[in-house]
């Protein structure tokens, strides 16, 4: 696995990842239709000042992404794998590499749906600590 910059050629695979019903269910995010996804990526994500967006590349295949963005004065971390790539330790390794090599700013924050136990594990394995609870999720911080 390696992390690399995202190119236009990656976008269709990344679109398909976030459109998968099981991905949407676990992330508790409705996903975006194709046009909205491309617009979001091109105007709000790629090249947006202060953002990090890296493709998880496994032997030339696009397995998913790790990302970070600033919102409400905080740095937020996110990640998403295509359904066929779950359960191999990829997200844990990708988040670790992003935090070690590409993203040195701290603190960093993440929010996770209560039912998303794999994502909570990914955060805890990377040193995030649960700092709060909402009706629908938990807040995590990495100092
Ligand atoms: C969440 C997601 C990124 C995890 O990716 P992954 O590569 O499968 O995760 P990893 O294999 O690195 O680690 C998953 C951990 O969760 C654990 N896990 C998996 N299913 C679990 C369950 N039902 N209950 C408890 N733990 C579980 C695994 O055992 C593993 O922990 P371990 O290393 O201690 O054994 C992936 O499922 C995904 O893309 N989901 C959709 C998008 C999403 O939810 N993004 C995060 C939004 S906050």
């Amino acid at each position: 696995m390696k992390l690399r910059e995202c190119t236009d050629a990656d976008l269709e695979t990344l679109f398909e990842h976030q459109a998968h019903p099981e991905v949407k269910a676990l992330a508790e995010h409705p996903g975006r239709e194709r046009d909205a996804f491309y617009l979001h990526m091109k105007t709000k994500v790629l090249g947006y000042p202060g953002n990090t967006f890296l493709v998880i590349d496994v032997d030339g295949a696009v397995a998913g992404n790790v990302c970070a963005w600033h919102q409400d004065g905080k740095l937020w971390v996110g990640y998403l794998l295509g359904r066929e790539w779950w359960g191999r330790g990829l997200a844990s390794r990708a988040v670790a590499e992003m935090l070690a090599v590409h993203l040195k700013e701290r603190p960093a924050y993440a929010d996770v749906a209560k039912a998303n136990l794999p994502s909570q594990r990914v955060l805890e394995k990377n040193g995030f600590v649960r700092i709060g609870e909402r009706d629908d999720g938990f807040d995590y911080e990495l100092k």
Side-chain angles (χ1 to χ4, degrees), residues 22-24 26-27 78-82 85-93 111-113 116-119 121-123 125:
E22 286 185 59
V23 172
K24 292 197 286 190
L26 190 59
Y79 35 84
L80 191 153
L81 260 65
W85 297 97
W86 291 9
R88 309 182 195 185
L90 276 174
S92 302
R93 283 159 51 207
D111 62 46
V112 186
N116 196 341
L117 298 177
S119 182
R121 264 310 278 152
V122 168
L123 292 170
K125 285 198 289 181

Side-chain angles (χ1 to χ4, degrees), residues 32-45:
R32 291 184 170 86
E33 298 298 326
R34 181 176 271 101
D35 287 352
F37 175 79
Y38 274 79
L39 184 66
H40 176 73
M41 291 299 293
K42 292 193 172 210
T43 61
K44 298 275 178 59
V45 179

Side-chain angles (χ1 to χ4, degrees), residues 72-112:
D72 302 330
K74 290 179 175 175
L75 175 72
W76 296 89
V77 168
Y79 35 84
L80 191 153
L81 260 65
R83 176 63 186 93
E84 65 273 33
W85 297 97
W86 291 9
R88 309 182 195 185
L90 276 174
S92 302
R93 283 159 51 207
V95 170
E97 185 170 328
M98 177 171 74
L99 292 170
V101 178
H102 303 276
L103 187 71
K104 299 291 177 68
E105 185 181 334
R106 303 288 185 274
Y109 295 89
D111 62 46
V112 186

Side-chain angles (χ1 to χ4, degrees), residues 7 12 16 20 32 36 61-62 66 72 74 108 132 139:
T7 71
E12 190 59 22
E16 287 166 4
H20 191 287
R32 291 184 170 86
V62 176
V66 282
D72 302 330
K74 290 179 175 175
D139 299 314

